[in-house]
Structure formats: C-alpha cells, structure tokens
C-alpha cells in the first residue's frame, strides 16, 4: 500500500492503535471499508480530520450488521449523536469493541448499553420484551414473551428492583459460556 | 543523586546559619510574596529547571554572603534562601508526585483501549496524556542517573514500538484469517472451528516437517553416499526396466521406493560427510522427537484451553438470561444463516418455556432418560456388531491369502466391508442420536465419539494386517540373508580362482540379492494409505458436494419436484466426519513418519491444498446447518481425540523400535539387533566413560521403577489437590447461591412488611389513602411498576389474608423498598428506616392481631 502515508499521519495511526485493538493494517482496512460505503463522501486524506458522517442507512447495509437484529441499537450506541450516524472514529470504536481482542468487561458494558433500549441505564421489562421479539422475529406469543422476561428478571436481578442494573448484567453475563465474542 | 543530596544538605545548613544571623533584622517578611513564589515553583513545569536555577542562585549567594553585609542585601538573600529551601523541598516532593503522575498517565495510555469512552474523548485524553508524559518524562532524571534514566526511557519507547511492530507482523503471519472469517460469517462458528483446527494442524505439521527435513533428509541428500553407490540405494536389476513407469511410481515402487523418502535408503554408516554428522543417531532422535513435540503441543494446547474456559457452563442459574443475551452469533453475515439462527433461537426459547412449564412433571424426564439409554444400547450393539464383522472378515482374509487363484472380491473383501461400514454407520448413528434429543453441540460430541470408536476398528484391522506382513517379511529375511552371504562369497571365490592376480571388479549394486526390507514396506503402506485418503476425500467433496449442488441448482428448472427444498437438496458441511478424517489422517502420519520421512511433506501439501479446496467447496456448494449453533471456543474435545490417537499411534512405533530386529541390509540401523541400540553405541563411542556409567545406572530398573512410582504418586497427589479445589469451588458456589436466596427472601419480607403495614393503615385510617396514592405516583417513574401497584391494590382489597400470604415474586420486585420512606404514614416510615435484619415473623403477624 503505497498511499498508506497519505490517509493518516503516522501519529494518527499510532493514536488509533493505542485506542483500539487493531493493528495498523487492520485500521487501514477498516478505513477502506468505511470509505467503500460512500466513496463520494469520504475523502482519501484524513490527516486534517474532516468532519464526515455516514448516515445509519449506509452503516446498517454492511454485511456484518445487515442480518443482525440489533443493528440499529449497535449503531445508536456507538454513534456520537445517538442516532446511528457514524464518523470514522465511531466506526473504529464499534469494530474495536466487537473485535475478538476486546476484553469481556468492555464487551459486557457495551452489550448492556445495546440491550438498554430506552437509555435509562437499566434493562427493564420493556427492554427485555424488545430483545426477545427481535431475537425471535415476533414468533412467540405475548404470554410467552412476558414469561421469558419474568424468568430473566427472576434469574438475574440480584437487588430485586425489577430491572437489571449494569452490575446485575455483568454478574450474569460474565459467567455465560457463550459470551465470548 | 546522592552527590546532589549531600550538596543540598550542606547548603541548607549554611543557610540556616545565615538565617539565624539575620533573623532579627527581617521579621516583616511579606507572606504574600512567598506564596507567590511557591505558586511559581509549582507552576513551573520542569522541576529540573527549578533545581538548576536554584543551584545558580546558590552560587551567587555564597559569593554575596562573603562580600557584602548591607541590610537590604541580607534581606534579599534571606528571602532567596527561604525560597530556595522551599524550592528544594518542593521539588523533591514534586518529583515524586510527577513520577507518580507520569506512571499514571502511562498506565492510562496502555489501557486506553479498554475504556468505554467515545473515540473522540479517547483521542483527546490520549493526546493529553502523551503530551504530559513527553513533557515530564525527561524532567525526572536526576544527577548522575539522568543519562541512564533518559536511556532507559528511550529504550522503553523503542521497546513499545518494537512490540507493536512485532504484533503487527504476527497478525500478518497468521494465514487464512480472512478465509476463515468469511466461512464463519456464512456458516456460524461451528464450521469455522473445523477450519481453525485444520490451520492448527498445519502449523504442527510444518514444525514436524522442518524437523525431519532439516535433520534427516537434507543431510542425507547433501552428505550421504549418492544414488547407485550401494545396493540399498539402487533399484534392483529386475525392476530397472519399469522403474520409471508412471504406474509403478504411482504405487510408490521403482525410483521412489529407493529414494530418501523412505527408511530403506539410509545408510548405517556412523558418520557422514565432512561434518561427521551422525545420521543414524539423528534419524532415531528425530523419530522420537516427532512424538515428543506432538505430545507437548497437544497437551499444552489442551491445558491452555482448559484455563481459558470459564468452567461453570453447567450453571443452571441463568438459563433464560443467557438464552436472551448471548444466543445471537454476532459473526453471522448471511441472510440464510440468519434465518436459520432466528428459527433455532425461537425453538430453543419455546423448548425452555415448555421445560419450565413441565419441569414438575417427572414422566417426561423419565421418558427422555429411557430414550437416551435405549439409544446408547442400540449404538453399542451396532459397534459390537461392526467390530465382530471386521474381526470375522480379517480372519477370513488371512485364510484367503494362503489360497491360490482367488477372485477380486475375496482379495478386497476387507476394504469393501470397511468402506461400507464407514458409509452406513455414521448416518445410522445420527438417526439413533435423534432419539436422544441432545443440544446439537453435545450431540456432535456424542456423534464424534461414536464414529471414533468405529474408526478405531478400521485402524485395528490395518495394523493387524500390517503386523502379519511384517512377520512374514522377517522370516523371509532370514532366508535371504543366507543367500546374500552365499552369493557374495561365491562371487569373490570364483573370481579369485579365475584370475588370482587381479582383484575382482566389485559386484554391481543392482545385482546383489537383497532382503524385503519390511520398514520400507510399512512406510509405503502408510504413504499409499495417506494418498488414497486424500484422493477419496477430494473426490467425495467434488462429487458429493459440488456435483450435487450443480445438479440441484441447474436441474431444478426442469424437474417434477422442488430439488432445492425437497429430496436431494444441498449438502451440509459434515463437521464430525471432517474432523475425524483429519485426526485419523494425523495418526497415520505419526505412525508412518518413522518409516517414511517424506510422509510429513506429503501431509503438509495435503493440509495446504485442503484448506483452499474445502474453503472453496464450503462456500460454493454447502448450505448452513438447520440448527445453527455456536462452537465453544475451547474445543478440547477435538484435542482429546487427537491425544488418544497420538498415544495409539505411539504404541506400534515404540514396539517396533524396542523389540523388532531391523532389516539386515537397509536403513540406518541395519546390522544392529535392535533400533534402540544406536543410543547405546553413541554413548559408548562418543561420550567419556563416566557418561556411559551414569547412563547404565539411570537405565537400571531399580531406579526406573521408583521414578515411575514417584510420578504416579505425584499424579495422585495433584489429582487429590485438584479435587479438593473443585470441592471448595462447589462449596463456595453453593454458599453464594444461599446468600443470594437469603437476600432475596429478606427483600421479599421487607416488601411484605411494607404491604402489611400499609394494609393496617388502610384499615385504621382512611387518611392513609393519600399515602398510597403518593407512593403510586412515585411508582410510575420506574417502568414496569404498573403491575406492582396493581398487585398491591389487589392485596389491599383483601387485607388480612393477602398480607399473610407470600406474594408472587414480581410484586416484591417491582416495589423498591425506598419508596416507603416517602410515604407519609408513620408505620411505613418506621418499616422503611428500620434495619435490614427486622424479624419478618412478627411483622407478618401484625395485621392478624
């Protein structure tokens, strides 16, 4: 890649490497992925930090997110404006947290935010219902959904306030055998 | 630094004296000025500058003290001394503080990526921290250590950079990362786990390849005797005409048989070339270290996997929570797979709902248990039957082999039966396994274990046939050994009689009669098996997957029924079959590499091509599994199977090395009674005498048996310790569980008392209603509280009994205890503020009284 130097300054690349779990090559690859979403919007020179933001529609069309039931939440959580429109920084941030190298604590924190649909710092029953419906594409009956949600709260709610706080969530999810990536 | 400290001390003493002298004269020292100075020193970022400047002032001052006695001068001096004193003290503290800060910032920089901040914030904080470190790091050096410190800092920076570059390099060196990720996104992580396993195998085989090629084959080719110089390195006269034909080469006869790829080619010369390379010794050691390395690698990987897995996967506390929050495979990037995943999540939710609803009914569990036992019995019957069949067929083939003119079927009966079993048994097992109704991940393990048992039969017949062959060759060898001697003797005798003046021309190496060389035969057997296995695998993939996919895809336009959804459909990727194929293939390699050093090279090629080929086949012609499931990251199960196979393949090799006599005229150990004699020979000839003595002591059974005993005891002890830890772990877990329950109960009771007192208030004073409504209004803030308040109202409707009953859990959950503090009634306030350890019994009893 001969034009590597022109996209980012070496300092920028170093800073990105410090802030994410990626290597230099991966950062550049991600940049190209980002740029491929809207080549006419994203300049090839990022050394002077252009203020570019890609709309949610473009972000969610990526194959990584296209089939994910939580794509909108993911984009919202990671975007600066909370509406799914992403700058390159947000973009890198998202992939860094979702990458294999990120520690479980960090993932748990962001997972909590993703499942917290109404942003009130608690996962309450309505959040759970939304989650179940997204996971099953509304194929469970409302009774089943509410049963599942009650079960979840019963299992994971340690302080009995009827909703899951971040601590409850971490306590539960860090023990899960499947919570690896 | 020490020097400086001393200097400062003397300086301070000196000034204390002066200070005493002038103290009386200057008492009205303005405090504000000093404060200003202090601020200045603090603000001054680089403390070393401060020290330096103070040093300069100091020099000036000492001069001045000597020179003048004027009042204002003294006054100024005094201020200065105080200042510098303070500065010195400050700078020491400051240095410490700065150092701490710098360390802190450094830590911040290294853990920046773990912070859940936005990238912009991270970047600015990072930049600030870096600037801070940059600015102050240089300032921290002191006195003489300054240069060293600067050097250290520089090296640390370089080291960080190097580490980063090395990491970059390392990730670039991991091959096929993209390919595997692509497969993962299409087929879920279970299929990808096969490819990761394949890649791991490739790495191990590359190391083995390096060992064997670097230490055995290349030295032999470079420094050993060339081809045609001696009988074992020459194609015999009778075979020479056809030795280059492709059909012969394809069977690994002819020139290939007499090449460095096989055991027989190697000479028993103790040292070769100008390096005096001890080839037989190297051959032996490499043969052993292939096994040693493989064992170490497999066990280390297993241990690491065991460490990585968090262990308590069988916890039943969070069934629904885990299902809800961790069932989505975030790596899926294919709509079809996503559909399957949605479906499987829905079914799993439904299943656990049904389980939850029917968990009280025992008959279901009994039925399931019965079905599982039945399935296992059926499968054991199948395995026994196939085992007996194999045994029977092998026995028969032994009698066939003694008969003349037998047909094609009789000759190939064993192979036909084996492949038929291999074809029909796995689907049969799968059908039976449907009875068990396991989670597919566990089902896969069972399936793997069962097919493994079946394949072991395959291995057993193969080894049995081979051992027969070897024994036959060994008897044949004895005869030929005499003939060879006799021929050579005759030849030289006759030539000596004919013309006694000339020394006879040496006999052509191609004409010397030679033994069957059973080691090479075994090696060829293994190579053939490996190659045919490769071909069968590839052809199966081509026909079974690719052609089928093509047929289904293109014939679907003109067919009576829907081919894609109906009968033939597309193939699923067969994880268990592929993994087992890989494992058994590796077993063949381990067994055969001692007799055919080139086998590992073939295997490396095989793994390399199959990586590309299978990736392509999977992506082009397979469909995702119907029940997509995630593979657990620590697939120790594969590794366990691999370890078993490694052990099983170690046994026959060890047996031949330790107890069978090597062939007399081929291979690096020819002429010895046993292959392991090469070690003894090396020790006796190449090491000083005392080493041989030590070795003989060590090899003494009197020492070996206690050593083994000690090892067994150590294993026993470690096992006991591990068990104790496990027990303690379980105990702790139980304790935590109990604590949690207790806490829940406590809160429940508290909520109950709240309700109880509230009911009492309702009874006593109608004015309490206002309190109720108030608490309701506070309730509305928290979502999901509606139900709670409704339930509360219903409780209020039938006060006496409702309160004594233990309320359903969600009622207590949705009512946070702190609400009661807000309520106006005195009873509520009391219960809300009362300590947690309030006795529920008496409270509960209250309304009844």
């Amino acid at each position: 890649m001969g034009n590597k130097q022109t996209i980012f300054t070496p300092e920028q690349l170093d800073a990105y490497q410090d802030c994410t779990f990626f290597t230099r090559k991966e950062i550049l690859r991600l940049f190209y992925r980002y740029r491929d979403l809207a080549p006419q919007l994203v300049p090839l020179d990022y050394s002077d930090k252009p203020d570019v933001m890609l709309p949610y529609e473009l972000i969610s069309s990526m194959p990584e997110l296209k089939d994910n039931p939580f794509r909108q939440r993911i984009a919202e959580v990671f975007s600066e404006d909370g509406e799914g429109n992403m700058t390159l920084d947000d973009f890198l941030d998202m992939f860094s947290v979702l990458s294999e190298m990120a520690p479980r604590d960090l993932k748990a924190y962001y997972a909590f935010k993703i499942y917290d649909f109404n942003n009130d710092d608690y996962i309450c029953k309505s959040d759970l219902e939304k989650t179940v419906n997204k996971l099953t594409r509304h194929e469970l009956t409302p009774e089943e959904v509410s049963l599942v949600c009650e079960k979840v709260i019963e299992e994971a709610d340690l302080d009995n306030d009827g909703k899951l706080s971040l601590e409850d969530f971490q306590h539960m999810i860090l023990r899960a055998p499947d919570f690896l990536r | 630094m020490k020097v400086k400290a001393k200097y400062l001390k003397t300086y301070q003493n000196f000034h204390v004296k002066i200070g005493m002298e002038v103290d009386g004269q200057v008492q009205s020292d303005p405090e504000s000025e000093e404060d200003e100075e202090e601020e200045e020193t603090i603000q001054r970022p680089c403390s070393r500058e401060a020290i330096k400047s103070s040093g300069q002032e100091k020099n000036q001052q000492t001069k001045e003290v000597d020179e003048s006695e004027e009042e204002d001068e003294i006054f100024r001096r005094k201020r200065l001394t105080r200042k510098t004193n303070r500065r010195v003290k400050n700078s020491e503290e400051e240095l410490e503080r700065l150092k701490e800060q710098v360390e802190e910032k450094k830590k911040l920089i290294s853990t920046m990526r773990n912070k859940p901040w936005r990238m912009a914030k991270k970047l600015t904080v990072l930049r600030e921290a870096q600037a801070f470190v940059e600015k102050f790091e240089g300032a921290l050096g002191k006195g003489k250590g300054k240069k060293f410190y600067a050097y250290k800092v520089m090296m640390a920076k370089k080291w960080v950079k190097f580490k980063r570059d090395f990491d970059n390099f390392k990730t670039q060196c991991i091959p096929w990362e993209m390919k595997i990720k692509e497969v993962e996104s299409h087929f879920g992580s279970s299929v990808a786990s096969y490819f990761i396993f394949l890649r791991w195998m490739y790495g191990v085989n590359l190391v083995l390849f390096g060992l064997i090629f670097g230490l055995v084959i290349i030295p032999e080719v470079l420094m050993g005797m060339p081809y045609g110089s001696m009988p074992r390195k020459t194609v015999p006269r009778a075979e020479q005409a056809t030795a280059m034909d492709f059909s012969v080469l394809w069977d690994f006869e002819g020139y290939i048989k007499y090449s460095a790829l096989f055991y027989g080619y190697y000479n028993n010369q103790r040292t070769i070339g100008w390096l005096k390379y001890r080839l037989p010794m190297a051959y032996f050691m490499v043969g052993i270290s292939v096994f040693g390395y493989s064992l170490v690698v497999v066990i280390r990987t297993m241990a690491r996997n065991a460490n990585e897995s968090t262990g308590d996967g069988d916890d039943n506390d969070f069934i629904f929570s885990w299902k809800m929050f961790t069932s989505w495979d975030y790596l899926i990037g294919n709509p079809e797979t996503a559909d399957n995943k949605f479906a499987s999540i829905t079914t799993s939710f439904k299943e656990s709902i049904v389980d939850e609803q029917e968990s009280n009914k025992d008959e279901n569990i009994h039925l399931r248990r019965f079905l599982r036992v039945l399935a296992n019995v059926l499968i054991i019957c199948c395995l026994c039957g196939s085992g007996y069949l194999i045994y029977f067929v092998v026995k028969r083939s032994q009698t066939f082999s003694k008969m003349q003119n037998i047909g094609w079927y009789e000759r190939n009966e064993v192979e036909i039966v084996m492949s038929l079993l291999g074809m029909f048994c796995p689907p049969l097992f799968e059908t039976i396994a449907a009875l068990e109704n396991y989670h597919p991940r566990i089902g896969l393990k069972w399936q793997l274990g069962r097919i493994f048992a079946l394949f072991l039969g395959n291995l057993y017949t193969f080894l049995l046939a081979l051992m027969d062959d070897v024994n036959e060759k060994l008897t044949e060898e004895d005869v030929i050994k005499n003939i060879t001697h006799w021929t050579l003797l005759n030849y030289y005798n006759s030539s000596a009689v004919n013309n006694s003046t000339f020394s006879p021309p040496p006999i052509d190496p191609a004409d010397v009669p030679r033994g069957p060389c059973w080691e090479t035969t075994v090696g060829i057997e293994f190579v053939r098996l490996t190659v045919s296995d490769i071909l069968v695998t590839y052809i199966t993939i081509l026909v079974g997957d690719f052609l089928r996919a093509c047929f289904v895809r293109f014939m679907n336009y003109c067919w009576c029924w829907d081919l894609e959804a109906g009968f033939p459909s597309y193939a699923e990727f067969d994880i268990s079959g592929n993994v087992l194929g890989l494992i058994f293939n590796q077993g063949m390699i381990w067994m055969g590499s001692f007799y055919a050093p080139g086998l590992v090279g073939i295997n490396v090629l095989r793994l390399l091509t199959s990586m590309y080929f299978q990736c392509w086949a999977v992506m082009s012609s397979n469909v995702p599994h119907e029940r997509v499931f995630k593979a657990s990251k620590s697939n120790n199960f594969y590794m366990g199977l691999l370890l078993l196979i490694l052990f099983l393949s170690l046994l026959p090799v060890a047996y031949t090395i330790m107890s069978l006599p090597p062939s007399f005229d081929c291979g690096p150990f020819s002429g010895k009674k046993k292959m392991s004699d090469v070690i003894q020979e090396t020790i006796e000839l190449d090491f000083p005498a005392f080493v041989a003595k030590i070795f003989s002591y060590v090899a003494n059974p009197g020492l070996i048996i206690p050593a083994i005993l000690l090892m067994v005891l150590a294993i026993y002890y470690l096992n006991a310790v591990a068990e104790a830890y496990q027990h303690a772990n379980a105990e702790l877990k139980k304790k935590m569980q109990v604590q949690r329950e207790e806490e829940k109960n406590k809160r429940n009771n508290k909520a109950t008392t709240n309700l109880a007192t509230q009911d009492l208030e309702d009874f006593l004073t109608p004015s309490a209603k206002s309190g109720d409504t108030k608490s309701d209004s506070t309730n509305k803030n928290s979502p999901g509280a509606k139900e709670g308040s409704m339930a509360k109202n219903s409780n209020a409707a039938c006060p006496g009994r409702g309160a004594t009953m233990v309320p359903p859990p969600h009622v207590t959950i949705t009512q946070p205890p702190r609400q009661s503090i807000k309520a106006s009634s005195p009873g509520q306030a009391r219960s809300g503020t009362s300590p947690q350890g309030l006795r529920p019994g008496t409270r509960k009893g209250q309304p009844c009284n």
Side-chain angles (χ1 to χ4, degrees), chain B residues 742-787:
Chain B
E742 214 168 76
E743 191 132 319
K744 253 188 185 173
N745 280 344
K746 216 183 269 170
R747 281 172 200 273
N748 280 0
N749 289 336
K750 213 158 152 198
T752 324
T753 40
N754 287 349
L755 285 178
T757 43
Q758 203 176 316
D759 294 338
L760 193 67
E761 293 299 321
D762 278 354
F763 248 153
L764 296 176
T765 50
S767 65
K769 283 243 161 144
S770 63
D772 202 298
T773 47
K774 202 172 179 185
S775 67
D776 262 3
S777 63
T778 48
N779 254 353
K780 262 167 203 159
N781 291 342
S782 61
K786 238 193 224 163
E787 258 183 69

Side-chain angles (χ1 to χ4, degrees), chain B residues 36 85 89 125 228 262 415 509 741 755 787:
Chain B
E36 264 180 40
N85 270 348
K89 230 193 255 160
V125 173
F262 290 104
E415 282 77 18
E741 295 284 311
L755 285 178
E787 258 183 69

Side-chain angles (χ1 to χ4, degrees), chain A residues 94-113:
Chain A
M94 175 170 79
F95 276 93
S96 170
V97 171
L98 293 181
S99 76
E100 269 177 54
M101 287 82 79
R104 288 158 67 100
D105 288 340
L106 188 67
K107 277 178 192 273
Y109 175 81
Y110 275 102
F112 180 80
K113 282 187 108 176

Side-chain angles (χ1 to χ4, degrees), chain A residues 18 23 137 154-155 162, chain B residues 164 168 342 356 740 744 813:
Chain A
D18 272 328
T23 62
R137 288 189 178 162
E154 194 182 305
E155 283 168 3
Chain B
R164 179 170 289 168
N168 280 343
F342 279 125
E356 190 63 32
R740 203 177 136 211
K744 253 188 185 173
I813 290 165

Side-chain angles (χ1 to χ4, degrees), chain B residues 525-544:
Chain B
E525 245 356 276
F526 276 111
V527 172
R528 261 187 217 153
L529 201 75
T530 308
V531 170
S532 69
D533 185 42
I534 297 172
L535 290 180
V536 166
T537 313
Y538 286 4
I539 290 173
T540 321
I541 291 174
L542 263 187
V543 174

Side-chain angles (χ1 to χ4, degrees), chain B residues 510-718:
Chain B
D511 293 330
V512 178
R514 57 183 81 172
C517 197
W518 61 268
E519 292 95 337
T520 300
T521 318
V522 171
I524 287 178
E525 245 356 276
F526 276 111
V527 172
R528 261 187 217 153
L529 201 75
T530 308
V531 170
S532 69
D533 185 42
I534 297 172
L535 290 180
V536 166
T537 313
Y538 286 4
I539 290 173
T540 321
I541 291 174
L542 263 187
V543 174
D545 290 349
F546 184 65
L547 286 188
R548 178 171 156 190
C550 284
F551 175 78
V552 169
R553 174 80 182 75
F554 295 110
M555 293 304 279
N556 204 23
Y557 298 119
C558 49
W559 205 262
C560 331
W561 67 82
D562 188 5
L563 282 174
E564 284 183 345
F567 162 59
S569 163
Y570 297 106
E572 283 181 1
F573 186 75
D574 177 16
I575 304 172
S576 56
N578 276 302
V579 166
L580 279 182
L582 203 59
I583 287 175
F584 270 86
N585 171 60
Q586 193 59 37
M588 295 287 152
I589 304 303
W590 276 323
M591 272 194 267
S593 66
F594 190 75
Y595 303 111
L599 188 57
V600 180
I602 295 176
N603 193 41
V604 166
L605 279 183
R606 178 234 167 106
L607 293 177
L608 190 68
T609 48
S610 87
M611 187 79 199
Y612 288 101
F613 186 60
Q614 286 195 304
C615 266
W616 165 79
V618 158
M619 296 300 282
S620 68
S621 49
N622 283 9
V623 287
H625 287 253
E626 220 166 279
R627 281 185 78 177
V628 181
F629 58 95
K630 276 197 283 190
S632 53
K633 209 175 187 180
S634 55
N635 38 15
N636 257 356
F637 192 71
Y638 296 168
M639 288 290 161
L641 292 183
L642 196 65
L643 190 66
L644 189 61
I645 276 289
L646 177 57
F647 187 70
L648 287 179
S649 57
L650 179 61
L651 287 181
V653 175
Y655 170 71
T656 50
I657 286 179
M658 299 311 277
S659 52
L660 284 187
S663 303
F664 74 100
D665 66 343
C666 69
F669 311 114
S670 55
K672 297 193 177 59
K673 285 226 168 57
K674 270 165 201 150
M675 293 181 188
S676 49
D677 284 350
V678 73
I679 297 255
Q680 231 164 344
E681 191 193 72
T682 311
I683 286 172
E684 273 165 18
L685 295 179
D686 291 341
F687 285 101
F690 73 91
V691 176
K693 223 174 203 174
I694 291 174
F695 191 77
S696 70
Y697 284 139
V698 169
N700 192 357
L703 212 64
I704 289 180
I705 290 173
I708 290 177
L709 214 65
L710 193 72
M711 261 154 48
V712 168
L713 285 180
I715 289 173
Y716 174 75
Y717 170 72
L718 289 179

Side-chain angles (χ1 to χ4, degrees), chain A residues 4-118:
Chain A
K4 171 157 73 176
Q5 301 307 324
T6 55
I7 301 167
F8 299 111
T9 59
E11 291 80 43
Q12 269 179 315
L13 266 181
D14 274 345
Y16 278 134
Q17 282 184 75
D18 272 328
C19 291
T20 62
F21 295 94
F22 295 126
T23 62
R24 195 174 304 142
K25 202 177 159 193
E26 285 165 330
I27 289 172
L28 284 171
R29 198 191 298 149
L30 277 175
F31 169 76
Y32 286 117
R33 290 290 307 278
Y34 184 70
R35 191 171 176 276
D36 284 346
L37 291 176
Q40 70 282 4
L41 278 179
V42 182
L44 258 176
D45 180 17
Y46 246 77
S47 48
D48 54 346
K49 297 194 184 176
D51 187 25
V52 178
M53 201 178 264
L54 292 191
Y56 165 70
E57 288 73 32
L58 280 176
I59 298 287
S60 67
S61 69
M62 294 185 65
E64 280 86 349
L65 293 175
K66 205 173 67 210
D67 299 302
N68 196 317
F70 303 111
R71 57 184 175 277
Q72 188 161 7
R73 273 308 294 170
I74 293 176
E76 280 170 15
V77 164
F78 284 101
S79 62
E80 188 110 47
D81 59 355
E83 280 166 20
N85 307 323
M86 291 197 143
T87 62
L88 178 66
D89 286 354
D90 299 335
F91 191 75
L92 285 176
D93 225 4
M94 175 170 79
F95 276 93
S96 170
V97 171
L98 293 181
S99 76
E100 269 177 54
M101 287 82 79
R104 288 158 67 100
D105 288 340
L106 188 67
K107 277 178 192 273
Y109 175 81
Y110 275 102
F112 180 80
K113 282 187 108 176
I114 287 169
Y115 291 126
D116 177 19
F117 282 86
N118 50 13

